[in-house]
Amino acid sequence: MADNTNTTSTSSTLSVVLIGCGRVAEKHLKAISKLKGLELKAVVDVNPDSAKRLLGSVKGFANVKTFTDYKAAIDEIKPSIVSVTVPSGLHFQIAKYAMEHGANLLLEKPMTMSVSEAREIFELSQKTGLKIAMGHIYRYLPIVGLVRQDIAEGKYGKVTHGTIYVRWGHGEDYYSSAAWRGTWKSDGGALMNQTIHAIDLLVWLMGSEPEEASAMIAQRIRNIEAEDLGMAVLRLENGALAQIEGTTATIPSKHTAEFSVFCENGQLSMGLDSGKPHLNIFTVKPNGKLKKLNGYYIRKQFKEGGMFSYKCALNPHLGIYNDLYESIKTGKNPIADAYSGFSSVDTLLGIYKSAKEGKPVALPLTDDFNSVDMTGFFK
Ligand SMILES: NC(=O)c1ccc[n+]([C@@H]2O[C@H](COP(=O)([O-])OP(=O)(O)OC[C@H]3O[C@@H](n4cnc5c(N)ncnc54)[C@H](O)[C@@H]3O)[C@@H](O)[C@H]2O)c1
């Protein structure tokens, strides 16, 4: 895969250009600063002050070059990796340009705002061999990968169903901090922005693709164009059901998120409550008694990933960059790969389409659907 990439750095380091110097970009810079194999060559923002502010916020990047035009930065630096951290409605054009110029991507979620664009980016990665690691942070949390493997190997028996809730309250200050937030064109609502990576995680853990979505969305409190509350049920190809709740209409100072998977012989729940993680993994012993497996997984994760895997709990972007680096060097697929980007956008837009039409829709969507097709849904 390395042959496919532009290499402006030494053979072992990969050059990075980050485009979009806002809220999430700082997490990217902190991750890059901790990984020896990456060299940040430039950052880009239409607002030069944002670029300067970002570089000043993380140690060691004071002399990194800044640009206001992403094409100029990609053309001049020819980076191995382009990190796309602009508003979601701009992901497609920048991702496409970067790949057409030989760059691998760390692409923030959602991959794009339409099914056809997501398919195009996925197919471009297939055609070129360039890697895309999606900003699906939950796949990079400790333990989830181990649990997924055990579910896939049938250690817990048949998967019956799964649930997630993402109650990620955001007040008017958040929505008024940038004009793109909460709009159908550039962001979508609580499901598209705050819940898509949790949906991706749940489906990934349950080990099957969605084949049908039924959903309702609502505007309860926030003064935005899109939804601040959404609920959906997915039917997966293996027959299991997944229940989804995503909202920003809850109290902003109390962020909670949890996912649970239920199987014939076991069940697990993991989540965060105001920053505090919780974990409950059980199996049923042959004598019918419950056995808690938290300690087993915590030790196993340490044995396999050391402290690094636990550091990823504090900044999952560390895990994503490390994974992308390994993928480029070895040719393996990233954990949150290009397909996960396409599939989660397809599922999310299926959820929106179901809410719009008031009936279940089959997945994957056969016709294109774009977040802007929801314009006017809330009159
Ligand atoms: N994976 C995660 O955990 C996570 C968390 C937060 C945000 N995100 C995603 O990251 C993206 C950015 O979100 P944010 O909250 O950082 O947004 P933000 O508004 O804080 O930052 C976006 C930045 O992009 C800049 N920008 C806009 N147009 C540009 C262009 N054409 N070229 C260069 N820069 C441009 C803006 O000036 C701004 O500084 C969104 O897609 C969001 O969904 C992901």
Side-chain angles (χ1 to χ4, degrees):
M1 283 310 113
D3 291 348
N4 242 335
T5 62
N6 299 314
T7 310
T8 53
S9 19
T10 63
S11 56
S12 63
T13 60
L14 298 177
S15 53
V16 183
V17 166
L18 176 137
I19 302 169
C21 301
R23 282 168 75 111
V24 79
E26 194 177 326
K27 292 189 177 142
H28 287 244
L29 256 60
K30 282 185 176 155
I32 294 167
S33 74
K34 296 214 160 50
L35 293 167
K36 282 200 188 88
L38 300 178
E39 188 182 359
L40 184 68
K41 291 278 192 180
V43 297
V44 185
D45 202 291
V46 283
N47 179 352
D49 289 343
S50 300
K52 282 197 201 103
R53 198 176 321 118
L54 176 68
L55 291 176
S57 69
V58 182
K59 250 189 173 171
F61 293 130
N63 297 322
V64 167
K65 217 165 170 174
T66 62
F67 288 82
T68 52
D69 175 3
Y70 73 85
K71 290 185 180 171
I74 292 170
D75 293 352
E76 184 181 317
I77 309 278
K78 300 182 174 41
S80 300
I81 297 172
V82 165
S83 304
V84 183
T85 53
V86 288
S88 307
L90 296 170
H91 289 184
F92 173 69
Q93 65 182 66
I94 297 179
K96 189 172 176 203
Y97 189 85
M99 292 183 92
E100 285 171 350
H101 289 76
N104 302 278
L105 299 180
L106 198 162
L107 179 52
E108 270 304 348
K109 52 76 198 166
M111 176 178 256
T112 64
M113 300 299 285
S114 83
V115 176
S116 61
E117 289 173 351
R119 189 174 284 115
E120 191 175 334
I121 295 298
F122 167 63
E123 286 174 357
L124 202 50
S125 80
Q126 296 291 99
K127 199 172 113 193
T128 58
L130 291 164
K131 302 295 181 190
I132 302 179
M134 291 299 308
H136 291 164
I137 50 174
Y138 296 123
R139 286 198 188 199
Y140 292 87
L141 293 175
I143 295 170
V144 293
L146 298 176
V147 172
R148 177 181 186 266
Q149 201 178 334
D150 285 349
I151 293 174
E153 287 171 5
K155 288 190 185 157
Y156 294 100
K158 191 172 181 176
V159 179
T160 60
H161 66 294
T163 67
I164 48 167
Y165 61 76
V166 178
R167 297 170 186 151
W168 221 253
H170 277 304
E172 298 307 330
D173 53 340
Y174 168 83
Y175 282 113
S176 58
S177 70
W180 67 277
R181 296 196 192 283
T183 62
W184 288 120
K185 183 168 183 274
S186 304
D187 190 15
L191 290 175
M192 188 63 131
N193 187 323
Q194 280 74 23
T195 316
I196 189 167
H197 33 354
I199 296 174
D200 166 71
L201 175 73
L202 185 65
V203 168
W204 185 61
L205 278 173
M206 292 173 72
S208 184
E209 290 293 303
E211 64 172 21
E212 189 179 328
S214 300
M216 289 188 192
I217 58 173
Q219 256 183 2
R220 301 299 299 152
I221 300 176
R222 308 299 171 214
N223 183 24
I224 56 175
E225 193 188 8
E227 84 287 356
D228 62 8
L229 172 65
M231 295 192 182
V233 177
L234 303 176
R235 185 191 303 282
L236 307 190
E237 283 168 0
N238 65 5
L241 301 182
Q243 175 183 281
I244 293 153
E245 173 196 331
T247 183
T248 53
T250 45
I251 299 164
S253 57
K254 180 131 182 82
H255 284 173
T256 58
E258 185 179 273
F259 62 88
S260 303
V261 178
F262 300 88
C263 307
E264 215 175 343
N265 299 317
Q267 63 187 62
L268 70 111
S269 291
M270 290 174 80
L272 277 176
D273 189 341
S274 301
K276 285 200 192 111
H278 58 268
L279 173 69
N280 266 307
I281 310 178
F282 290 97
T283 188
V284 188
K285 293 198 278 189
N287 64 7
K289 290 198 171 154
L290 287 181
K291 184 178 176 189
K292 199 165 184 175
L293 294 175
N294 289 12
Y296 162 77
Y297 278 110
I298 290 167
R299 286 189 297 277
K300 191 170 185 204
Q301 182 69 75
F302 187 75
K303 210 168 154 197
E304 294 191 8
M307 268 322 284
F308 182 80
S309 55
Y310 287 104
K311 283 184 183 155
C312 293
L314 299 174
N315 183 5
H317 284 89
L318 189 58
I320 307 181
Y321 275 103
N322 189 54
D323 184 36
L324 180 57
Y325 178 86
E326 294 292 327
S327 303
I328 294 168
K329 291 289 181 188
T330 66
K332 82 172 191 78
N333 238 11
I335 293 168
D337 61 3
Y339 183 76
S340 77
F342 161 72
S343 175
S344 56
V345 165
D346 183 72
T347 301
L348 212 292
L349 289 169
I351 286 172
Y352 279 161
K353 189 165 194 254
S354 165
K356 182 177 180 181
E357 294 179 354
K359 59 180 189 188
V361 303
L363 297 174
L365 295 173
T366 44
D367 298 327
D368 192 19
F369 195 78
N370 191 315
S371 183
V372 290
D373 293 331
M374 297 300 290
T375 305
F377 181 77
F378 298 111
K379 302 241 168 21

